[in-house]
Amino acid sequence: MGFIEAVGTALVQKYATFSGRASRSEYWWFVLFYFTVLFAIGVVCLVTSSFSDFRDGVPPPVGLLVFIGGLTWLAMFLPQVALQVRRFHDRNISAWWYLAVFVGGFVPYIGVIAGIAILVICLLPGTEGPNKFGPDPPRPQARAEVFA
């Protein structure tokens, strides 16, 4: 799956779809897009703020850029979580485990371990062939036996 196809799938076709599976390429291309967009907004905000005077509060261009960055993050939060859940499904792991690891990420010191666990799960290849969450994304020809 290429860059444009992965971003289109995550943002348009499966915006809030938590069922099914997502391949590694689909996940990592979207992560690259997500962080590139947020980084670009941050750089524009930083450059704009370097030319601004903050004596009277936050200047309107900087405030607007921060607002746009927040809206972008908010709009992309749901597809990011849905894609993460589908990536867990590709490893044949339930979404409840993602919720447990995500909540564990807010606990001091355990958060680092939770982040590493999510990263490792996303780096590992998916299960070969169909699993209980659907057909293999790179090879969708095989049928999944859900109740096998």
Side-chain angles (χ1 to χ4, degrees), residues 1-11 25-27 29-30 83:
M1 178 174 284
F3 178 78
I4 301 295
E5 186 181 359
V7 172
T9 299
L11 287 179
S25 61
E26 179 183 352
Y27 177 78
W29 280 123
F30 183 75
L83 186 60

Side-chain angles (χ1 to χ4, degrees), residues 85 88-95 97-98 121 131-133:
V85 165
F88 266 57
H89 286 173
D90 193 38
R91 291 284 309 143
N92 208 12
I93 301 171
S94 173
W97 281 105
Y98 175 64
I121 289 171
N131 66 14
K132 64 182 178 181
F133 298 105

Side-chain angles (χ1 to χ4, degrees), residues 11-60:
L11 287 179
V12 178
Q13 296 171 351
K14 298 182 179 180
Y15 184 84
T17 303
F18 292 90
S19 61
R21 296 167 65 176
S23 65
R24 277 191 296 181
S25 61
E26 179 183 352
Y27 177 78
W28 287 110
W29 280 123
F30 183 75
V31 167
L32 177 68
F33 169 76
Y34 181 69
F35 284 115
T36 302
V37 167
L38 292 181
F39 180 76
I41 291 173
V43 167
V44 170
C45 190
L46 183 67
V47 168
T48 305
S49 67
S50 67
F51 295 113
S52 300
D53 186 15
F54 287 96
R55 281 182 265 162
D56 297 330
V58 177

Side-chain angles (χ1 to χ4, degrees), residues 27 84 88 97-122:
Y27 177 78
Q84 185 72 57
F88 266 57
W97 281 105
Y98 175 64
L99 179 65
V101 173
F102 183 78
V103 170
F106 291 106
V107 177
Y109 302 111
I110 296 177
V112 175
I113 297 168
I116 292 171
I118 290 174
L119 178 66
V120 167
I121 289 171
C122 291

